[in-house]
Amino acid sequence: MGVNLLPINSKLCNFDCIYCECGWNADGNPEKIQLRFNAAEEVHSELEKRLRELQSENNLPDAITFAGNGEPTTHPHFSQIVDDTLALRDRYAPQAKVCVLTNATLIQRPSVISALQKVDRAMLKLDSGFDETVKVLNNPQGDFSVAKLVAAMKTFGEKLIVQTMFLRGMYKGKPVDNTTSEEVNRWLEILKELQPREVTMYTIDRETPAKDLEKIPLEKLEKIAKKVRVLGIIADVY
Ligand code: SF4
């Protein structure tokens, strides 16, 4: 079950990934520029309502996942929402895992890192070990450096799960590919340093805002996953 902390008709993220299934930030549509966060109380009441419905249908979820239209940790009350969600999960669906998909840019904030450490699965994005590639793939909207991100990830501890999108194609007339040997080797060096408990790897699944991007074949992802496993790290391919 997905939880979106942002309204359905807008996206709010401090990245603007060329592959984001929510489209470009704002998308040039004035309606979409009226961004706002869903109030923590509203998230709590909607989630409780839905869990009650699912309980009455005997159809409780295996997972409650924060993803949605943007970066969930940018919500000013993210920490409170995580606490509320964990309490609701314990009450209605104790078997469900609480998961967060995050671009990890805000993990240096104590409230964000402690909230992420409370959930069952916080999956932190690392699409490349090179600043230049991150600039193209993820289009950070503020200061960003891989070195700073990796330093922050190191403080995350044993619950660290890294998530990586692999793709290739053309963007603004230039090739983009985070599956080259140079890219994969640098990424593996970082994983070796971080020793996450798990790496989740995936490729494009839906329409992307940048049009000339390609899926990476499953066999290629599996080859990369094998190299991760050699480091003693669990690697899952989706
Ligand atoms: S970090 Fe996630 S929500 Fe943000 S632009 Fe990238 S894919 Fe979209």
Side-chain angles (χ1 to χ4, degrees):
M1 184 166 75
V3 179
N4 175 27
L5 302 184
L6 295 153
I8 292 161
N9 66 351
S10 68
K11 174 188 162 200
L12 179 60
C13 194
N14 49 3
F15 274 1
D16 201 9
C17 301
I18 60 175
Y19 57 79
C20 182
E21 54 188 51
C22 305
W24 298 118
N25 286 353
D27 236 358
N29 177 341
E31 270 181 29
K32 292 190 174 186
I33 296 168
Q34 293 168 1
L35 301 165
R36 83 177 168 83
F37 296 102
N38 284 317
E41 297 70 25
E42 202 182 328
V43 175
H44 182 276
S45 61
E46 287 298 317
L47 187 56
E48 183 162 29
K49 192 171 128 200
R50 188 69 188 127
L51 284 169
R52 278 187 174 162
E53 280 167 6
L54 292 171
Q55 192 181 45
S56 69
E57 294 163 12
N58 205 15
N59 185 27
L60 285 166
D62 296 332
I64 300 169
T65 303
F66 289 93
N69 295 342
E71 173 50 39
T73 64
T74 57
H75 195 293
H77 304 297
F78 177 69
S79 176
Q80 183 196 330
I81 291 171
V82 164
D83 287 344
D84 291 349
T85 303
L86 289 168
L88 288 172
R89 183 275 308 271
D90 292 348
R91 182 166 174 196
Y92 294 99
Q95 78 294 346
K97 303 281 184 225
V98 174
C99 312
V100 181
L101 291 165
T102 173
N103 65 21
T105 50
L106 300 180
I107 55 168
Q108 77 285 2
R109 290 188 187 167
S111 66
V112 170
I113 196 164
S114 75
L116 289 174
Q117 281 170 337
K118 284 183 203 170
V119 303
D120 300 292
R121 291 174 62 79
M123 289 169 267
L124 280 61
K125 187 184 290 296
L126 177 69
D127 286 346
S128 171
F130 295 109
D131 287 340
E132 300 69 33
T133 311
V134 170
K135 256 185 213 162
V136 177
L137 282 179
N138 305 121
N139 196 5
Q141 303 294 287
D143 278 347
F144 177 89
S145 90
V146 172
K148 278 188 197 157
L149 176 68
V150 170
M153 279 183 172
K154 274 189 191 160
T155 66
F156 200 83
E158 58 187 25
K159 286 181 89 177
L160 177 65
I161 300 174
V162 169
Q163 51 147 332
T164 302
M165 159 68 89
F166 285 104
L167 58 75
R168 63 184 166 218
M170 295 292 290
Y171 181 59
K172 292 189 174 170
K174 291 188 181 157
V176 54
D177 185 351
N178 63 344
T179 67
T180 62
S181 307
E182 195 191 11
E183 284 284 343
V184 172
N185 289 339
R186 178 71 193 121
W187 178 78
L188 288 167
E189 275 169 27
I190 294 175
L191 292 181
K192 198 172 168 187
E193 212 178 315
L194 289 173
Q195 286 295 315
R197 84 169 192 218
E198 192 181 320
V199 176
T200 296
M201 302 163 51
Y202 50 98
T203 189
I204 298 166
D205 190 36
R206 299 193 191 158
E207 197 180 336
T208 55
K211 293 302 163 209
D212 298 322
L213 305 179
E214 287 173 34
K215 272 177 186 269
I216 301 300
L218 196 59
E219 306 77 61
K220 172 87 179 168
L221 291 181
E222 280 296 349
K223 271 189 188 165
I224 301 172
K226 267 189 191 164
K227 294 181 182 179
V228 177
R229 293 177 194 130
V230 166
L231 301 176
I233 301 165
I234 295 169
D236 292 320
V237 174
Y238 293 96

